[in-house]
Amino acid sequence: YNTTSMDLTPYGGPAEGYILDGLFQEVDIATGKGLFTWKSLDHVDPAECYVNPGNTGTDALAWDYFHINSVEKDFRGNYLISSRHCHAAYYIDGANGEILWRLGGKNSTFTGAGSEFYFQVSLIVS
């Protein structure tokens, strides 16, 4: 997580608030070189979150709006990310980090039976 200062008033928090930018990085273990980095705040608006800042959003207790549960890279080189607080899984382009689709959450690409879930989700890519 990167703690980031941000105006959280649009989300019910303080004007001089703090938010956790959920991120992951693929690293070449042999060299320690970062191969790919993805940050939630670059791609997912905090308005997609189901958890409001409440008494978080302060310097001492930043708002964990996204909360990454898991990340898996598939054979195409793309990533599947599970977000607990957005109640969604995001399929991420492994070249540019753009969201290819969302499953669940407030802006799901999919609708109908079986397309909703909540909190922690485990997904298997095959």
Side-chain angles (χ1 to χ4, degrees):
Y1 293 103
N2 279 337
T3 302
T4 305
S5 61
M6 183 176 180
D7 177 1
L8 300 179
T9 55
Y11 317 105
E16 295 181 14
Y18 292 86
I19 190 167
L20 294 176
D21 189 2
L23 63 90
F24 77 89
Q25 185 173 55
E26 181 178 3
V27 176
D28 181 322
I29 294 174
T31 65
K33 179 182 176 186
L35 302 175
F36 182 83
T37 301
W38 186 87
K39 298 178 181 181
S40 61
L41 282 173
D42 290 344
H43 302 280
V44 180
D45 189 303
E48 290 189 37
C49 174
Y50 286 91
V51 177
N52 66 35
N55 62 357
T56 67
T58 64
D59 186 23
L61 184 60
W63 179 33
D64 181 10
Y65 89 101
F66 193 77
H67 193 94
I68 294 176
N69 280 326
S70 61
V71 177
E72 184 170 342
K73 187 175 185 179
D74 70 9
F75 68 93
R76 292 179 182 96
N78 297 325
Y79 300 90
L80 188 62
I81 304 170
S82 171
S83 166
R84 177 178 297 197
H85 293 158
C86 292
H87 300 188
Y90 297 84
Y91 190 53
I92 306 300
D93 186 300
N96 62 25
E98 294 301 313
I99 296 170
L100 299 171
W101 52 254
R102 292 167 165 82
L103 175 62
K106 294 181 180 179
N107 296 311
S108 184
T109 305
F110 306 95
T111 59
S115 64
E116 295 183 11
F117 52 83
Y118 306 94
F119 302 104
Q120 189 163 352
V121 177
S122 296
L123 300 167
I124 298 173
V125 178
S126 57

